């Protein structure tokens, strides 16, 4: 959970039901940037020397290939921000939707190649509700051969954190806010409503 004042201010505006899709999308990107800054703090680097106009400089570059895994649809809103920070990252989309009755995730899109092409995967999905979608995504990535996986979201429910942590204790969870609970339809309370609908104006 992030206690950063900028994150808290932006998440407050994101939750506001009066926030229109354009501003909602901008806020998702801005919050993703701030969270990714924290989530990538332990990424290994290797030496890279460059010449400034005055002298050589012994600097650094990222040592690992990074994969961004946006979970369709809502995760799409976090990808641009992540690519701004890591322009060489690969983007692998995974499509899941929740069955309205069972709340279980249904996979409908996955074009991962047969073996992993990256060393660290960042799963991007704003909402960690029951945790079913995040747990299924991590399972898919592990089956693919991903070794290091992190989850980056915006709002989590305690139930989602518990489910993801119990199934995949090796996956760190980076979110802006941990909310109170789920309602009987599996929505996070107070939450922000349906993150996909609010980004894409489909509510
Ligand atoms: C939302 C969200 C997550 C999922 C979280 O997607 O983007 O993927 O719900 O819920 P869970 O933790 O209970 O699995 P949704 O199924 O609404 O699909 P959409 O993004 O296409 O609208
Ligand atoms: N998915 C959403 O978009 N919102 C919730 O509150 C729960 C799941």
């Amino acid at each position: 959970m992030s206690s950063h004042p900028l994150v808290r201010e932006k998440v407050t505006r994101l939750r506001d039901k009066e926030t229109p899709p354009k501003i909602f999308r901008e806020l998702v990107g801005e919050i993703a940037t701030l969270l990714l800054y924290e989530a990538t703090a332990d990424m290994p680097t290797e030496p890279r020397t460059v010449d400034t106009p005055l002298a050589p400089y012994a600097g650094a570059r990222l040592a690992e290939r990074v994969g961004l895994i946006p979970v369709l649809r809502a995760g799409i809103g976090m990808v641009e921000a992540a690519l701004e920070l890591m322009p060489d990252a690969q983007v692998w989309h995974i499509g899941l939707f929740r069955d309205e009755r069972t709340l279980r995730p249904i996979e409908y899109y996955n074009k991962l190649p047969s073996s992993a092409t990256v060393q660290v995967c960042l799963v991007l999905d704003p909402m960690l509700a029951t945790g079913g979608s995040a747990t299924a995504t991590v399972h898919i990535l592990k089956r693919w051969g991903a070794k290091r996986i992190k989850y980056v979201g915006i709002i989590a429910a305690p139930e989602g954190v518990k489910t993801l942590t119990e199934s995949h204790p090796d996956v760190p969870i980076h979110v802006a806010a941990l909310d109170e609970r789920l309602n009987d339809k599996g929505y996070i309370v107070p939450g922000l409503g349906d993150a996909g609908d609010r980004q894409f104006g489909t509510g």
Side-chain angles (χ1 to χ4, degrees):
M1 201 177 112
S2 175
S3 55
H4 196 294
L6 294 182
V7 172
R8 288 177 49 214
E9 188 274 340
K10 288 175 193 300
V11 173
T12 301
R13 283 196 285 145
L14 193 73
R15 293 179 187 275
D16 186 344
K17 65 179 192 214
E18 302 301 333
T19 298
K22 179 178 191 300
I23 308 295
F24 191 93
R25 289 192 294 272
E26 289 171 6
L27 287 166
V28 167
E30 290 166 14
I31 295 163
T33 301
L34 294 167
L35 294 177
L36 284 161
Y37 180 76
E38 292 176 3
T40 52
D42 64 350
M43 295 243 282
T45 58
E46 58 192 19
R48 179 183 175 217
T49 300
V50 295
D51 294 319
T52 80
L54 301 178
Y57 174 76
R61 65 179 160 214
L62 293 183
E64 293 185 332
R65 283 191 308 278
V66 179
L68 305 173
I69 322 296
V71 180
L72 307 179
R73 291 175 300 165
I76 291 173
M78 301 173 75
V79 177
E80 270 312 308
L83 280 173
E84 285 291 324
L85 297 173
M86 294 163 283
D88 296 330
Q90 299 178 19
V91 183
W92 297 106
H93 299 84
I94 297 211
L96 300 175
F97 68 88
R98 294 196 308 177
D99 180 288
E100 278 181 16
R101 199 176 45 82
T102 65
L103 298 181
R104 294 300 306 153
I106 313 282
E107 183 178 333
Y108 65 89
Y109 188 81
N110 173 351
K111 281 199 72 154
L112 294 171
S114 55
S115 59
T117 56
V118 296
Q119 288 151 316
V120 57
C121 290
L122 302 176
V123 175
L124 307 175
D125 189 341
M127 308 305 275
L128 183 61
T130 65
S133 303
T135 302
T137 303
V138 171
H139 179 73
I140 292 166
L141 293 175
K142 286 187 173 173
R143 206 176 53 205
W144 186 47
K147 293 282 180 283
R148 292 183 56 223
I149 303 171
K150 293 170 184 247
Y151 174 90
V152 185
I154 294 182
I155 300 182
E159 294 88 334
V161 172
K162 183 167 183 286
T163 298
L164 181 57
T165 306
E166 281 177 2
S167 306
H168 301 289
D170 54 319
V171 174
I173 300 173
H174 298 269
V175 290
L178 181 62
D179 275 11
E180 282 166 28
R181 62 184 173 88
L182 294 178
N183 70 12
D184 58 1
K185 293 197 163 59
Y187 277 84
I188 301 176
V189 180
L192 51 71
D194 188 303
D197 283 346
R198 292 200 60 190
Q199 280 182 80
F200 301 116
T202 51

